[in-house]
mmCIF file of all heavy atoms in Angstrom:
data_model
loop_
_atom_site.group_PDB
_atom_site.id
_atom_site.type_symbol
_atom_site.label_atom_id
_atom_site.label_comp_id
_atom_site.label_asym_id
_atom_site.label_seq_id
_atom_site.Cartn_x
_atom_site.Cartn_y
_atom_site.Cartn_z
ATOM 1 N N ARG A 295 -63.654 -22.399 1.701
ATOM 2 C CA ARG A 295 -64.180 -22.106 3.035
ATOM 3 C C ARG A 295 -64.175 -20.587 3.224
ATOM 4 O O ARG A 295 -63.155 -19.998 3.571
ATOM 5 C CB ARG A 295 -63.323 -22.779 4.101
ATOM 6 C CG ARG A 295 -63.463 -24.291 4.111
ATOM 7 C CD ARG A 295 -62.674 -24.897 5.229
ATOM 8 N NE ARG A 295 -61.258 -24.614 5.100
ATOM 9 C CZ ARG A 295 -60.425 -24.488 6.118
ATOM 10 N NH1 ARG A 295 -60.859 -24.592 7.352
ATOM 11 N NH2 ARG A 295 -59.137 -24.261 5.910
ATOM 12 N N VAL A 296 -65.281 -19.980 2.940
ATOM 13 C CA VAL A 296 -65.380 -18.519 3.039
ATOM 14 C C VAL A 296 -66.630 -18.157 3.846
ATOM 15 O O VAL A 296 -67.718 -18.644 3.552
ATOM 16 C CB VAL A 296 -65.475 -17.873 1.640
ATOM 17 C CG1 VAL A 296 -65.596 -16.365 1.765
ATOM 18 C CG2 VAL A 296 -64.261 -18.228 0.810
ATOM 19 N N ASP A 297 -66.442 -17.365 4.853
ATOM 20 C CA ASP A 297 -67.570 -16.877 5.631
ATOM 21 C C ASP A 297 -67.564 -15.359 5.619
ATOM 22 O O ASP A 297 -66.506 -14.738 5.715
ATOM 23 C CB ASP A 297 -67.469 -17.354 7.088
ATOM 24 C CG ASP A 297 -67.699 -18.847 7.194
ATOM 25 O OD1 ASP A 297 -68.585 -19.353 6.498
ATOM 26 O OD2 ASP A 297 -66.956 -19.502 7.950
ATOM 27 N N PHE A 298 -68.747 -14.799 5.525
ATOM 28 C CA PHE A 298 -68.873 -13.343 5.540
ATOM 29 C C PHE A 298 -69.843 -12.953 6.654
ATOM 30 O O PHE A 298 -71.019 -13.297 6.604
ATOM 31 C CB PHE A 298 -69.362 -12.859 4.168
ATOM 32 C CG PHE A 298 -69.679 -11.393 4.138
ATOM 33 C CD1 PHE A 298 -68.769 -10.462 4.648
ATOM 34 C CD2 PHE A 298 -70.867 -10.931 3.602
ATOM 35 C CE1 PHE A 298 -69.061 -9.111 4.631
ATOM 36 C CE2 PHE A 298 -71.158 -9.579 3.577
ATOM 37 C CZ PHE A 298 -70.258 -8.679 4.102
ATOM 38 N N TRP A 299 -69.307 -12.295 7.649
ATOM 39 C CA TRP A 299 -70.107 -11.929 8.819
ATOM 40 C C TRP A 299 -70.374 -10.426 8.838
ATOM 41 O O TRP A 299 -69.508 -9.638 8.478
ATOM 42 C CB TRP A 299 -69.352 -12.274 10.098
ATOM 43 C CG TRP A 299 -69.207 -13.735 10.376
ATOM 44 C CD1 TRP A 299 -68.277 -14.579 9.857
ATOM 45 C CD2 TRP A 299 -70.018 -14.527 11.250
ATOM 46 N NE1 TRP A 299 -68.450 -15.848 10.345
ATOM 47 C CE2 TRP A 299 -69.516 -15.845 11.212
ATOM 48 C CE3 TRP A 299 -71.126 -14.242 12.048
ATOM 49 C CZ2 TRP A 299 -70.080 -16.872 11.962
ATOM 50 C CZ3 TRP A 299 -71.686 -15.277 12.791
ATOM 51 C CH2 TRP A 299 -71.167 -16.587 12.741
ATOM 52 N N ASP A 300 -71.574 -10.090 9.308
ATOM 53 C CA ASP A 300 -71.877 -8.670 9.492
ATOM 54 C C ASP A 300 -72.293 -8.428 10.938
ATOM 55 O O ASP A 300 -73.231 -9.064 11.441
ATOM 56 C CB ASP A 300 -73.002 -8.235 8.549
ATOM 57 C CG ASP A 300 -73.259 -6.744 8.661
ATOM 58 O OD1 ASP A 300 -72.347 -6.021 9.141
ATOM 59 O OD2 ASP A 300 -74.351 -6.292 8.280
ATOM 60 N N PHE A 301 -71.585 -7.541 11.594
ATOM 61 C CA PHE A 301 -71.895 -7.193 12.982
ATOM 62 C C PHE A 301 -72.576 -5.834 13.077
ATOM 63 O O PHE A 301 -72.701 -5.272 14.150
ATOM 64 C CB PHE A 301 -70.620 -7.218 13.836
ATOM 65 C CG PHE A 301 -70.149 -8.614 14.141
ATOM 66 C CD1 PHE A 301 -69.398 -9.324 13.222
ATOM 67 C CD2 PHE A 301 -70.490 -9.237 15.336
ATOM 68 C CE1 PHE A 301 -68.980 -10.621 13.481
ATOM 69 C CE2 PHE A 301 -70.078 -10.531 15.607
ATOM 70 C CZ PHE A 301 -69.321 -11.230 14.672
ATOM 71 N N THR A 302 -72.962 -5.311 11.916
ATOM 72 C CA THR A 302 -73.674 -4.039 11.932
ATOM 73 C C THR A 302 -75.049 -4.245 12.569
ATOM 74 O O THR A 302 -75.698 -5.253 12.318
ATOM 75 C CB THR A 302 -73.868 -3.529 10.486
ATOM 76 O OG1 THR A 302 -72.605 -3.548 9.835
ATOM 77 C CG2 THR A 302 -74.421 -2.122 10.472
ATOM 78 N N GLY A 303 -75.472 -3.305 13.349
ATOM 79 C CA GLY A 303 -76.793 -3.432 13.938
ATOM 80 C C GLY A 303 -76.967 -2.455 15.081
ATOM 81 O O GLY A 303 -75.977 -1.972 15.639
ATOM 82 N N ILE A 304 -78.195 -2.165 15.363
ATOM 83 C CA ILE A 304 -78.463 -1.236 16.466
ATOM 84 C C ILE A 304 -79.115 -2.021 17.590
ATOM 85 O O ILE A 304 -80.219 -2.547 17.442
ATOM 86 C CB ILE A 304 -79.370 -0.077 16.001
ATOM 87 C CG1 ILE A 304 -78.668 0.671 14.865
ATOM 88 C CG2 ILE A 304 -79.661 0.865 17.155
ATOM 89 C CD1 ILE A 304 -79.466 1.803 14.277
ATOM 90 N N ARG A 305 -78.381 -2.148 18.653
ATOM 91 C CA ARG A 305 -78.797 -2.927 19.807
ATOM 92 C C ARG A 305 -78.246 -2.248 21.039
ATOM 93 O O ARG A 305 -77.655 -1.164 20.935
ATOM 94 C CB ARG A 305 -78.259 -4.342 19.682
ATOM 95 C CG ARG A 305 -76.777 -4.321 19.312
ATOM 96 C CD ARG A 305 -76.232 -5.591 18.711
ATOM 97 N NE ARG A 305 -76.425 -6.689 19.614
ATOM 98 C CZ ARG A 305 -77.233 -7.717 19.350
ATOM 99 N NH1 ARG A 305 -77.885 -7.741 18.204
ATOM 100 N NH2 ARG A 305 -77.372 -8.685 20.202
ATOM 101 N N ALA A 306 -78.421 -2.873 22.179
ATOM 102 C CA ALA A 306 -78.035 -2.214 23.426
ATOM 103 C C ALA A 306 -76.559 -1.799 23.409
ATOM 104 O O ALA A 306 -76.220 -0.658 23.738
ATOM 105 C CB ALA A 306 -78.311 -3.148 24.604
ATOM 106 N N GLU A 307 -75.689 -2.728 22.995
ATOM 107 C CA GLU A 307 -74.250 -2.426 23.047
ATOM 108 C C GLU A 307 -73.849 -1.326 22.089
ATOM 109 O O GLU A 307 -72.917 -0.570 22.346
ATOM 110 C CB GLU A 307 -73.418 -3.666 22.682
ATOM 111 C CG GLU A 307 -73.616 -4.868 23.547
ATOM 112 C CD GLU A 307 -74.659 -5.802 22.954
ATOM 113 O OE1 GLU A 307 -75.634 -5.304 22.348
ATOM 114 O OE2 GLU A 307 -74.508 -7.018 23.103
ATOM 115 N N THR A 308 -74.554 -1.261 20.953
ATOM 116 C CA THR A 308 -74.105 -0.328 19.923
ATOM 117 C C THR A 308 -74.848 0.997 19.940
ATOM 118 O O THR A 308 -74.596 1.844 19.087
ATOM 119 C CB THR A 308 -74.272 -0.971 18.524
ATOM 120 O OG1 THR A 308 -75.642 -1.314 18.348
ATOM 121 C CG2 THR A 308 -73.391 -2.190 18.383
ATOM 122 N N SER A 309 -75.750 1.146 20.870
ATOM 123 C CA SER A 309 -76.488 2.418 20.871
ATOM 124 C C SER A 309 -76.441 3.130 22.220
ATOM 125 O O SER A 309 -77.081 4.171 22.379
ATOM 126 C CB SER A 309 -77.945 2.177 20.453
ATOM 127 O OG SER A 309 -78.548 1.260 21.333
ATOM 128 N N ALA A 310 -75.699 2.569 23.169
ATOM 129 C CA ALA A 310 -75.592 3.250 24.469
ATOM 130 C C ALA A 310 -74.939 4.608 24.270
ATOM 131 O O ALA A 310 -73.987 4.741 23.495
ATOM 132 C CB ALA A 310 -74.752 2.399 25.418
ATOM 133 N N PRO A 311 -75.475 5.637 24.930
ATOM 134 C CA PRO A 311 -74.927 6.989 24.721
ATOM 135 C C PRO A 311 -73.502 7.113 25.264
ATOM 136 O O PRO A 311 -73.084 6.345 26.128
ATOM 137 C CB PRO A 311 -75.892 7.879 25.504
ATOM 138 C CG PRO A 311 -76.519 6.987 26.505
ATOM 139 C CD PRO A 311 -76.588 5.636 25.888
ATOM 140 N N PHE A 312 -72.805 8.071 24.719
ATOM 141 C CA PHE A 312 -71.451 8.363 25.202
ATOM 142 C C PHE A 312 -71.522 9.390 26.317
ATOM 143 O O PHE A 312 -72.353 10.296 26.294
ATOM 144 C CB PHE A 312 -70.580 8.915 24.069
ATOM 145 C CG PHE A 312 -70.208 7.877 23.075
ATOM 146 C CD1 PHE A 312 -70.950 7.696 21.921
ATOM 147 C CD2 PHE A 312 -69.123 7.047 23.294
ATOM 148 C CE1 PHE A 312 -70.619 6.725 21.009
ATOM 149 C CE2 PHE A 312 -68.782 6.073 22.385
ATOM 150 C CZ PHE A 312 -69.528 5.910 21.239
ATOM 151 N N GLU A 313 -70.637 9.194 27.270
ATOM 152 C CA GLU A 313 -70.570 10.146 28.371
ATOM 153 C C GLU A 313 -69.849 11.405 27.906
ATOM 154 O O GLU A 313 -68.884 11.330 27.161
ATOM 155 C CB GLU A 313 -69.775 9.538 29.534
ATOM 156 C CG GLU A 313 -70.397 8.288 30.122
ATOM 157 C CD GLU A 313 -71.703 8.597 30.834
ATOM 158 O OE1 GLU A 313 -71.845 9.723 31.334
ATOM 159 O OE2 GLU A 313 -72.582 7.713 30.859
#
Side-chain angles (χ1 to χ4, degrees):
Chain A
R295 290 184 299 149
V296 179
D297 290 320
F298 173 49
W299 290 82
D300 184 20
F301 285 82
T302 309
I304 300 178
R305 48 200 302 114
E307 301 94 325
T308 58
S309 58
F312 288 95
E313 298 292 331

